[in-house]
Amino acid sequence: MTRTPIEDRAHWERTADRMLLDVRPYATERHALINLPGVPSHNGPWSDGLEGFARTFLMAAFRLVGADGEDPHDLAGWYACGLAAGTDPANPERWPTFAECNQAKVEAASVALALHETRPWIWDRLDDRVRQRVLDWLAPMVGDDMPGNNWIWFQGVTEAFARTVGGSWRQQDLDRTIALTDGWYAGEGWYSDGLTGGEHRNFDHYNGWAMHLYPLWFCRILGDATPTGLLDRYRARLHRFLADQRLLTGANGSPLIQGRSLTYRHAVLAPLWTGVLFDATPLTPGETRAIASRTLDHFTGHGATDEHGLLTLGWHRPHRGVLQVYSGPASPYWASKGFIGLALRPDHPVWTAEATELAVEQGDFTGTLRAPGWLVSGTASDGVVRVVNHGGDHADPARPHTDDPCYARFAYSTHTAPETPGDPTAGPGGVPDTGPLDNAVVLLDTAGRASHRRPVTRISADGATAVSRSRAHWAADSRWDPFGGPDTRYKPGPWITVGSALRGPVEVRAVRVDPASTEETEPGETLRIGGWALAVDPAAAQPDIAGEQPAARIAGSDGLVSLVVGVQGLTGAGVVRSEGGNALGVSSATPVLHTTGPVTHGVLYIAVVHLGGSDPAALPHITTGNEGTTLVAETVWPDGTRDTIRLPAPDRAHLLRKDPHRA
């Protein structure tokens, strides 16, 4: 559906108003807590109630600012009432203190930011006693030793606001926040959300909805008190980040389905709107609004809200597989950050310019996002954007981990979701499985259990090729826990080196397996390579696993095709079906390739992995060789373009490395 700019703005306003009004029936009498139905987070219902207030208050703030205080639904009065009750220690609706609930620090930042934005209509009209109670509730943030990730900005924003209204703040806290953020900057616009093991490894949507948003709002709140040059530094970084982020939206309006807290959905738009607000974007006004409106409609059109108008815990439909332990019924309302555009006046160019095509609609593209270690490819014919991941894994490099499906897969896209723990069953020709499946390169032990990948060592990422290495390992407990903690013990196995060449809808995936020590020469395991998982019609015909070469093909319920073809060493093909394991559909399936015997060390295994709107017109031609101990796969694409994948042997340091978590 095509809308004029004026209708587009009105559509956003109506959507925000509906979301804000639909939560009101779940509020306590004085509105301090919004207790939405559903399974509580691990923080408990009290914390979840505060979350409901704070996150919707943020949306109300953007709505009020853009309307210059025009307030037909009394947003200002409704939330002012909640502020008075929530900060009153004697009120039964009071908010938890930071000592009582750590999560309250997160929500404090939303409260502070919303109060700053709505100052003429809420803060300046509050009773002096209420203002003081708000400041008293915020004050314990001062001097608090915040975790070393985006949480430092909850402290920074809260103290910045308190500083401007006569509350408590400490210069050392602000200086620490700025310094840590500079240390997390990974270059080319990308932040790692904190360091893991002293390295930049944490790349996902938090780059935009936390690491770029809060620093700029920190400067906005401080105004003339902002340290010299800080605003320009943050603006330049966001400008560069948006040049990459504009590539990561599919023609269907979906963001890349990767990383944690996916249930925040629209929050992915926060840096786009922030770029406009702070004059820190390379995008035209029409492209910004096109991405934002397409994304809003994507979630609206795929059932992100239930029959009561409430945002659900999931991506499209409710789906607990993409949640974290901190996800509660109100968590999705950080979607409020995606409504920052409403803070822009109706006559702003972002609302009046004609919408343009998205980057993936303007033409095919291929490239490297070096900071996160991703290859990226977009194809105009089907509107799909894919990334191949040889960089971030959100894991400590000093110890093994089970694979979080939203970080450890080799590839993610705007049209597919990773398989999360569900109920995998083997279809005809399929392989019984527990553990990582789709877009995974694993070794299967004699019990059929798949190895895990994290931590990952990036070897190279340049042009259309990338290479990484990890040591196969299995949890001593046969149960797959994607959030296995530091006490989980593992059985270590061989090293797996994987290289990719990505062009259009096709990835050439080359693999070598090497023993982890000169003494370890007993293979025993089989190698399996998983393709893209697709939501499928459970009544659909069985997938095709026949052909001249070992191959498996899935046709998804949305018309996409997932195909894997064995080029070298992979003589078996199959399909694994799953129920309840995919965010995009109740039923899903993944094509796989595997060796029909134990894997051989030090040789090349090669697969072609395809995701597109149709079968590939032609496959690339691949030849193999070696340069000393380095194995080489030379790829010639149908248009004559060449890419070379080089898989080096593990060096002596890898071979002799001891694993302290060996089972």
Side-chain angles (χ1 to χ4, degrees), residues 33-76:
L33 303 170
I34 299 178
N35 299 314
L36 300 177
V39 179
S41 72
H42 78 151
N43 297 306
W46 193 14
S47 171
D48 296 343
L50 168 60
E51 191 169 80
F53 177 91
R55 297 190 179 195
T56 58
F57 184 27
L58 196 57
M59 183 182 294
F62 299 138
R63 182 73 175 91
L64 281 168
V65 170
D68 198 22
E70 184 178 341
D71 191 7
H73 302 297
D74 190 30
L75 297 174

Side-chain angles (χ1 to χ4, degrees), residues 135-511:
L135 294 177
D136 290 344
W137 183 72
L138 296 175
M141 191 81 84
V142 177
D144 190 274
D145 187 17
M146 302 294 284
N149 57 22
N150 67 87
W151 276 48
I152 63 169
W153 279 107
F154 306 142
Q155 182 179 54
V157 166
T158 300
E159 291 193 34
F161 170 73
R163 176 178 177 175
T164 65
V165 292
S168 300
W169 64 284
R170 193 174 75 153
Q171 187 64 48
Q172 297 97 305
D173 292 345
L174 307 189
D175 292 344
R176 174 177 179 265
T177 297
I178 294 168
L180 285 174
T181 301
D182 283 343
W184 300 340
Y185 185 61
E188 299 189 7
W190 287 78
Y191 287 99
S192 174
D193 184 11
L195 303 181
T196 301
E199 298 183 8
H200 297 95
R201 305 178 70 91
N202 307 334
F203 301 104
D204 59 18
H205 294 303
Y206 272 85
N207 261 275
W209 64 45
M211 302 309 300
H212 280 295
L213 182 147
Y214 291 116
L216 282 163
W217 238 280
F218 173 80
C219 297
R220 179 177 170 93
I221 293 170
L222 285 181
D224 292 342
T226 302
T228 302
L230 192 63
L231 176 60
D232 289 340
R233 184 156 81 234
Y234 293 153
R235 288 176 64 248
R237 290 174 180 175
L238 176 56
H239 191 282
R240 177 61 185 87
F241 174 72
L242 290 175
D244 284 349
Q245 192 194 11
R246 65 181 290 270
L247 303 177
L248 300 179
T249 301
N252 62 350
S254 175
L256 191 69
I257 306 177
Q258 178 273 343
R260 71 196 189 285
S261 300
L262 291 173
T263 196
Y264 299 164
R265 297 183 176 99
H266 318 70
V268 70
L269 300 174
L272 288 167
W273 293 123
T274 303
V276 175
L277 196 66
F278 289 87
D279 191 23
T281 178
L283 281 65
T284 65
E287 185 177 9
T288 295
R289 198 182 74 256
I291 295 173
S293 293
R294 199 83 66 89
T295 299
L296 176 68
D297 288 351
H298 176 78
F299 288 117
T300 302
H302 285 88
T305 54
D306 65 15
E307 66 274 18
H308 304 294
L310 303 178
L311 287 171
T312 61
L313 282 163
W315 184 252
H316 290 167
R317 62 187 175 87
H319 180 67
R320 298 201 65 80
V322 297
L323 305 183
Q324 279 68 49
V325 294
Y326 55 75
S327 302
S331 296
Y333 283 87
W334 246 3
S336 297
K337 296 180 178 183
F339 286 78
I340 291 172
L342 289 178
L344 301 165
R345 297 294 298 271
D347 59 354
H348 191 282
V350 81
W351 291 121
T352 59
E354 289 296 325
T356 65
E357 292 183 323
L358 306 190
V360 72
E361 296 172 316
Q362 296 171 23
D364 296 353
F365 56 81
T366 297
T368 305
L369 307 184
R370 288 182 178 80
W374 293 350
L375 303 178
V376 60
S377 169
T379 44
S381 61
D382 50 30
V384 178
V385 177
R386 313 151 192 80
V387 300
V388 173
N389 171 33
H390 286 275
D393 59 7
H394 213 275
D396 185 344
R399 66 177 184 86
H401 304 252
T402 46
D403 285 353
D404 184 328
C406 293
Y407 284 105
R409 295 294 179 261
F410 275 96
Y412 298 94
S413 87
T414 56
H415 285 61
T416 64
E419 292 284 281
T420 54
D423 180 24
T425 56
V431 184
D433 174 73
T434 58
L437 173 65
D438 59 299
N439 277 314
V441 177
V442 301
L443 294 176
L444 299 176
D445 65 13
T446 55
R449 296 191 310 144
S451 63
H452 292 265
R453 183 186 183 202
R454 298 192 300 170
V456 176
T457 299
R458 184 192 316 188
I459 295 175
S460 64
D462 187 49
T465 66
V467 179
S468 61
R469 176 179 292 131
S470 59
R471 188 173 182 183
H473 52 279
W474 295 262
D477 181 350
S478 62
R479 177 178 53 86
W480 175 29
D481 176 9
F483 309 107
D487 295 329
T488 303
R489 298 188 67 79
Y490 298 91
K491 171 189 173 183
W495 291 99
I496 303 178
T497 306
V498 181
S500 300
L502 178 66
R503 298 276 178 180
V506 173
E507 175 200 349
V508 174
R509 196 176 292 174
V511 182

